[in-house]
Amino acid sequence: MMDENPAVLQEMVTTPEQQPRSDEPNPVLCNKYKYRRLLLPPFAVSLFATALGLGIYSHLQKTADPWKSKWKSGGSSTNRDRQRVKGEVNKHSEVRTRGLIEMRRGTDGWSKSDGQLKTFPDRQTALLTAIKEILEAPDEAVSMGAAEQKAKNFFKSCMNAESREKMGSEPFLTLLQQLGGWAVSGVWNQTDFNSTLALLMGQYSTFPFFNVYVGPEPSEEQSASNRHYIQIDEPHFQFPIEWNSKTQKAKANTRYLRPFYSACGQYLVLLGVPSDRTTQHCGLFVSLSTTLAVATFPLPYRLSQKLLYRRTTIQELQTLAPAVDWLACLQATFQPLLISKSDIVLVHNLPYIIHMSKTIHLWQVQHELMGTGPLNTYMIFSLLQTLIPALDSRFFQIMRNYSIATGDTQEMPHWWRCVQQTERGFDTLLSHAIREKHAQKEAEELIQDVYSSLKKKLTDLSWRDEKESDFILNKINSLNPRISTNTNNLSYTELNHLYEKVILNEEDFFSNYLQILLLEQKSRARLLSLGTQTEGLSMTPFISGNDIIVPVGMFVSPFFHSSYPRALNYGTLGSLMAKDLLHLLLPDIYTKAKNPETESLCVWSHYLSVTKGPGWGDAFYLPSSKQQEVWVQYSALQVALDAYKMSFKRYLADSSLPGFSYVHLFLSSFTKVTCDTDAYREFMPLEPSFLVTVLCSNSGLCPKPLTCMNKPQSFPAEMCQS
């Protein structure tokens, strides 16, 4: 991206009096653009920062329809116009003031000195920051009573690292003794395999040999149902697994087994195990881990072999994999629900489950007389991995060092981990808190506007098959987008009741963490019973029955706030939401409709003519996956802009900048958020800001014509319109 040139920016950012009419071309700009190429990105960043630095003022439009020709932010207005918007301005003046304060608060994305947005954080960081602010709010600001206070106390105990350092490994050793010990220490009560497995699954959210979770069955016959099923999958192994596509076999990457073995020994030292016992037990642990791992399959292979969502009853599963007492383990996992042998479960890698069962039986036979207890040791090591966040920093550092050895160099701050651990048990409560603080009426309106605009966009497409288009459009029209889920109808009293048995001690984070694991178990059982997902703290929409759930976790600063200018909210979160919905609803749109190909190639031709020069339109092939992404992102911009236009049917006033129009702020918001946080950038062959250039060249919506073409190209400009 080139440096900002004040002279060029002066030509582009004219004052309201200097702006040409929307129907007048600007030859100076066109020629300047030819030689300076992509001027919009630095302009957009500069404008966006200026907008937030200068603050927000009440912006009164001269005409009732701001989408015609009067794209000025100042000037006079008639008495009738003033009266018409006076009510709206007064209505929103207070929240706009609060919005300016919100933007100047100094969160991670904003400068503490001047309130300017340096860069958009990724969506996960923004969500965790919003949760952190709720958990660190003064006690007098608590609005949900005892439940929220407990969440705040848990977070505070997590942040108190000093107490954990003092306790060392003692909490885990005490728990280990309560579980009957283990063969590694020489003190083991020879506890029953299935009893220990059921206990770990039910009380400690630990799944050593297979993973268990709850979710819907994504088949067509179940698409309108909220029913959720127990799902059984292969576990996550701590070491990288290599897949040989020729032999279609998996194996542990031997490069990482030595540091894996070393980490095992270091853990045992911290737990007081004599060094002469570590070699045998760590060797058995690594051997059992690699033996199980060879039956895992990567997701593409499982998809191609139809290994996902295999329906079976618990009784049938017991016959196929008899080493595990499936009924007892699942009853413990979902207590107090009644689980029976006839219940349907969905298995995602049955060959692994069968292999696991045979391995368990074989190791039981081989090691029973030896007393080495490798299966019990394996389960205790899995429990240790679950509880490392609640132990002193020495355990975490061993885990961190091994992660670095396997190539994972990303490190998250301590507060980030504490927020995630708090969310693990208090997700329902925090979902409510975020909705109360961020996602009010304006959030619901943005959702409806974006979805209405999206439906209009899809209705106008040229489909390849009429029957299939009818099916897709009927599906789109039958879905109801809404924020969050049914569980958010809980009252404050019900929320407090949900957490009434949680008793926290700010000086004992280990016991607090064990209670979080129990809360997680209750949440899992509640999900299976009610068939509705909380998912309020996720960051992308998902389908549940006939609903598209837009999580409240999307509606956090700096992407959205009810007091921000609508141009900012629709340009940032509106465009992100449109992208998410297009990816969710039409992942293979390129094969279904004709428009993605023609429109994306047109945008690509525009881009090549600017970056390579005229005549390069056909010289560089664009793969279909990238064609689809170009169309999705360009369509998301159009959808968000149309949604923003819809908002003016309800409100005739918005906030903006002195000297700038609504659309300038909207387009600048889109450009900056897409450049900073585009989750699909690996599929984009061009700068997202260029989409704004194409939009401006094909419409009269921009403050002045922006074009990247001076001569006709192989794809006319009108082809980019839909």
Side-chain angles (χ1 to χ4, degrees):
M1 186 175 291
M2 61 181 292
D3 295 334
E4 295 180 9
N5 186 311
V8 175
L9 291 179
Q10 179 62 35
E11 292 178 4
M12 296 186 66
V13 188
T14 56
T15 63
E17 290 75 14
Q18 295 171 326
Q19 286 183 358
R21 297 194 309 271
S22 61
D23 57 347
E24 289 182 353
N26 191 325
V28 174
L29 178 60
C30 294
N31 293 333
K32 188 72 67 175
Y33 202 92
K34 176 180 178 181
Y35 294 104
R36 302 210 179 251
R37 297 188 178 181
L38 303 177
L39 294 178
L40 190 58
F43 163 70
V45 174
S46 175
L47 172 62
F48 198 86
T50 304
L52 301 173
L54 291 176
I56 307 217
Y57 86 113
S58 182
H59 181 95
L60 307 182
Q61 276 301 91
K62 187 174 181 179
T63 64
D65 185 358
W67 305 92
K68 294 296 184 182
S69 59
K70 302 295 184 180
W71 280 102
K72 298 181 180 180
S73 60
S76 61
S77 55
T78 65
N79 289 333
R80 179 192 297 179
D81 294 328
R82 292 193 184 97
Q83 292 298 322
R84 181 174 54 212
V85 299
K86 182 179 179 181
E88 292 296 335
V89 173
N90 291 337
K91 177 180 178 182
H92 296 286
S93 60
E94 181 180 352
V95 293
R96 285 173 182 159
T97 301
R98 285 189 275 114
L100 180 56
I101 296 174
E102 177 82 14
M103 284 192 262
R104 289 182 178 273
R105 288 175 309 162
T107 57
D108 281 4
W110 301 95
S111 166
K112 294 184 179 180
S113 60
D114 57 14
Q116 293 186 7
L117 182 64
K118 298 176 181 178
T119 182
F120 271 102
D122 63 83
R123 286 199 259 181
Q124 184 181 24
T125 300
L127 174 58
L128 293 177
T129 301
I131 298 174
K132 178 174 178 282
E133 292 170 359
I134 292 172
L135 295 171
E136 290 183 335
D139 290 344
E140 58 268 20
V142 173
S143 60
M144 296 184 184
E148 186 168 345
Q149 188 60 57
K150 290 178 180 179
K152 289 160 67 75
N153 289 342
F154 176 84
F155 178 74
K156 186 176 181 180
S157 71
C158 179
M159 294 294 289
N160 182 11
E162 183 178 352
S163 64
R164 291 204 297 280
E165 298 302 318
K166 290 180 180 179
M167 300 182 76
S169 58
E170 191 61 33
F172 185 80
L173 292 173
T174 301
L175 176 62
L176 187 56
Q177 185 178 9
Q178 295 171 358
L179 295 174
W182 61 340
V184 175
S185 65
V187 181
W188 180 37
N189 295 343
Q190 297 282 335
T191 49
D192 175 69
F193 168 78
N194 274 294
S195 297
T196 302
L197 180 59
L199 183 64
L200 297 187
M201 292 173 63
Q203 293 191 24
Y204 302 101
S205 286
T206 298
F207 305 93
F209 299 100
F210 50 89
N211 195 14
V212 177
Y213 53 93
V214 177
E217 182 183 23
S219 58
E220 291 299 331
E221 61 270 19
Q222 296 291 335
S223 61
S225 171
N226 282 331
R227 182 176 179 182
H228 284 58
Y229 296 86
I230 297 173
Q231 317 230 1
I232 299 173
D233 204 347
E234 60 186 44
H236 169 72
F237 289 93
Q238 299 169 37
F239 47 81
I241 299 175
E242 294 180 341
W243 174 253
N244 189 319
S245 58
K246 293 183 179 180
T247 63
Q248 296 189 339
K249 298 289 184 180
K251 68 173 183 177
N253 190 320
T254 55
R255 174 184 174 187
Y256 303 112
L257 290 183
R258 182 172 293 277
F260 183 62
Y261 173 87
S262 176
C264 172
Q266 293 173 48
Y267 285 132
L268 293 184
V269 170
L270 293 183
L271 294 173
V273 177
S275 58
D276 60 345
R277 302 182 66 88
T278 60
T279 301
Q280 179 188 29
H281 290 285
C282 284
L284 289 172
F285 173 63
V286 173
S287 177
L288 179 56
S289 300
T290 55
T291 300
L292 292 170
V294 298
T296 60
F297 300 127
L299 182 59
Y301 179 81
R302 287 193 279 169
L303 283 169
S304 67
Q305 299 300 309
K306 297 181 170 33
L307 294 177
L308 302 180
Y309 299 101
R310 164 74 180 269
R311 292 171 65 93
T312 183
T313 64
I314 295 176
Q315 186 171 9
E316 292 169 341
L317 187 60
Q318 189 66 53
T319 302
L320 294 169
V324 174
D325 188 341
W326 292 99
L327 183 61
C329 288
L330 294 178
Q331 284 176 336
T333 304
F334 296 100
Q335 59 182 318
L337 300 183
L338 296 176
I339 306 296
S340 67
K341 292 182 179 180
S342 60
D343 286 350
I344 297 291
V345 296
L346 304 179
V347 181
H348 296 291
N349 186 353
L350 186 58
Y352 168 81
I353 298 299
I354 295 173
H355 170 80
M356 172 209 68
S357 176
K358 292 179 179 179
T359 301
I360 290 173
H361 175 71
L362 181 62
W363 280 61
Q364 284 175 325
V365 173
Q366 290 179 343
H367 295 273
E368 182 177 6
L369 296 178
M370 299 172 59
T372 52
L375 295 172
N376 181 266
T377 299
Y378 187 88
M379 290 190 285
I380 296 302
F381 266 122
S382 297
L383 176 63
L384 178 63
Q385 287 296 313
T386 300
L387 297 178
I388 280 179
L391 296 173
D392 71 76
S393 60
R394 296 174 300 167
F395 290 90
F396 175 79
Q397 194 57 52
I398 293 172
M399 182 180 68
R400 180 68 192 135
N401 290 341
Y402 177 69
S403 297
I404 294 174
T406 59
D408 180 10
T409 58
Q410 184 178 6
E411 186 170 6
M412 62 180 67
H414 180 61
W415 71 264
W416 190 327
R417 298 195 300 271
C418 286
V419 168
Q420 289 181 323
Q421 291 155 18
T422 308
E423 184 268 337
R424 190 172 182 176
F426 292 94
D427 55 339
T428 302
L429 171 74
L430 294 173
S431 175
H432 277 72
I434 289 177
R435 182 168 186 171
E436 288 288 316
K437 184 175 182 180
H438 295 274
Q440 299 293 330
K441 176 184 176 184
E442 291 80 3
E444 296 279 7
E445 291 175 346
L446 185 145
I447 292 173
Q448 296 303 323
D449 287 342
V450 168
Y451 198 68
S452 296
S453 176
L454 184 143
K455 288 195 294 185
K456 178 183 175 183
K457 170 75 176 178
L458 298 181
T459 302
D460 294 338
L461 291 182
S462 175
W463 299 89
R464 299 182 187 276
D465 182 87
E466 185 175 348
K467 290 184 179 180
E468 191 164 32
S469 71
D470 290 340
F471 174 80
I472 294 174
L473 293 177
N474 287 337
K475 174 186 175 182
I476 300 297
N477 289 324
S478 67
L479 292 173
N480 174 44
R482 59 185 178 84
I483 192 169
S484 199
T485 61
N486 292 335
T487 55
N488 280 296
N489 293 326
L490 292 173
S491 65
Y492 294 160
T493 301
E494 291 171 320
L495 279 172
N496 290 329
H497 176 71
L498 193 63
Y499 300 100
E500 64 180 355
K501 294 184 179 180
V502 177
I503 301 175
L504 302 175
N505 181 350
E506 290 187 18
E507 300 300 321
D508 187 1
F509 181 65
F510 187 84
S511 65
N512 294 346
Y513 192 78
L514 294 183
Q515 293 187 72
I516 287 294
L517 299 181
L518 288 175
L519 286 175
E520 189 176 45
Q521 183 275 326
K522 292 180 180 179
S523 177
R524 193 181 297 115
R526 189 166 59 249
L527 174 57
L528 180 63
S529 174
L530 300 177
T532 55
Q533 290 177 263
T534 308
E535 295 297 338
L537 297 179
S538 63
M539 294 159 286
T540 55
F542 61 92
I543 297 176
S544 178
N546 284 324
D547 295 323
I548 298 177
I549 305 302
V550 182
V552 295
M554 294 181 67
F555 294 88
V556 295
S557 302
F559 299 101
F560 177 90
H561 195 276
S562 58
S563 58
Y564 286 178
R566 296 201 309 280
L568 195 155
N569 284 335
Y570 281 76
T572 53
L573 186 57
S575 60
L576 292 175
M577 188 183 299
K579 254 188 285 191
D580 289 341
L581 290 173
L582 286 167
H583 280 288
L584 173 68
L585 299 172
L586 298 167
D588 54 352
I589 182 63
Y590 186 84
T591 64
K592 308 294 184 183
K594 302 175 183 177
N595 306 66
E597 180 179 11
T598 56
E599 293 180 22
S600 62
L601 289 179
C602 174
V603 173
W604 183 235
S605 177
H606 273 265
Y607 183 74
L608 292 177
S609 69
V610 172
T611 58
K612 301 293 184 181
W616 288 84
D618 298 318
F620 293 91
Y621 172 72
L622 193 62
S624 58
S625 61
K626 294 189 176 182
Q627 289 184 34
Q628 172 159 317
E629 189 57 37
V630 169
W631 180 83
V632 166
Q633 299 224 16
Y634 187 46
S635 297
L637 171 60
Q638 295 172 314
V639 166
L641 184 59
D642 186 55
Y644 179 46
K645 181 177 179 180
M646 289 180 184
S647 72
F648 276 87
K649 295 180 180 179
R650 291 185 302 274
Y651 309 110
L652 299 179
D654 191 11
S655 303
S656 190
L657 281 183
F660 295 99
S661 64
Y662 299 149
V663 76
H664 250 162
L665 184 55
F666 172 91
L667 295 176
S668 300
S669 303
F670 166 83
T671 299
K672 183 155 183 60
V673 75
T674 307
C675 288
D676 288 349
T677 65
D678 185 15
Y680 309 99
R681 75 177 42 149
E682 64 178 299
F683 301 107
M684 277 294 285
L686 48 83
E687 297 91 337
S689 58
F690 190 78
L691 301 175
V692 175
T693 302
V694 178
L695 180 76
C696 290
S697 70
N698 293 327
S699 70
L701 296 178
C702 301
K704 53 170 42 179
L706 299 177
T707 180
C708 60
M709 293 180 61
N710 295 295
K711 296 180 180 180
Q713 303 296 318
S714 57
F715 291 94
E718 58 268 16
M719 287 186 66
C720 295
Q721 299 176 350
S722 59

